[in-house]
Amino acid sequence: FPIDITFKSTNPSGWPQIVVSVYGPDFFGNDVVRGYGAVHVPFTPGRHTRTIAMFVPESTSRLQKFTSWFTGRRPEFTDPKVVAQGEGREVTRVRSQGFVTISFNVV
């Protein structure tokens, strides 16, 4: 999807990131998260292609896994900022879930 955004900054530290959340139907037709990922927006002019490794949060116990599968309520992040930040994610159990490729045209 084309997105037109203009950024202005005096300091490139903490440059904007794009957070991607992918949803899709499960076996019962419920919309569930299929993956999360984030990538920094490049700031040099030109065409840039970035591949984002996607991940999905997992339940910690077998009982929670069965309950979430049965009810159709899988674990997901309530705040998308968690994906872009590194702090607090080391205690979150996640599973790798494929890749998304994004192309940037920076002027």
Side-chain angles (χ1 to χ4, degrees):
F1 301 99
I3 300 173
D4 185 13
I5 302 173
T6 304
F7 294 106
K8 181 179 178 183
S9 176
T10 57
N11 184 359
S13 175
W15 188 256
Q17 296 183 49
I18 289 184
V19 175
V20 179
S21 301
V22 179
Y23 289 84
D26 66 356
F27 182 74
F28 299 111
N30 301 319
D31 260 353
V32 295
V33 68
R34 295 293 182 188
Y36 293 107
V39 66
H40 285 277
V41 176
F43 55 88
T44 56
R47 182 174 175 84
H48 305 275
T49 303
R50 300 287 187 259
T51 302
I52 305 171
M54 303 299 284
F55 60 90
V56 63
E58 280 196 328
S59 299
T60 55
S61 71
R62 289 182 192 248
L63 178 61
Q64 286 177 334
K65 285 182 184 180
F66 176 74
T67 305
S68 66
W69 176 82
F70 187 70
T71 61
R73 302 273 306 152
R74 306 252 173 98
E76 60 182 78
F77 296 124
T78 56
D79 186 10
K81 291 179 184 176
V82 173
V83 177
Q85 297 171 346
E87 58 190 57
R89 280 200 14 217
E90 66 274 359
V91 296
T92 306
R93 183 177 292 187
V94 295
R95 175 174 35 96
S96 181
Q97 193 72 15
F99 298 93
V100 170
T101 303
I102 295 181
S103 295
F104 296 98
N105 291 312
V106 180
V107 179

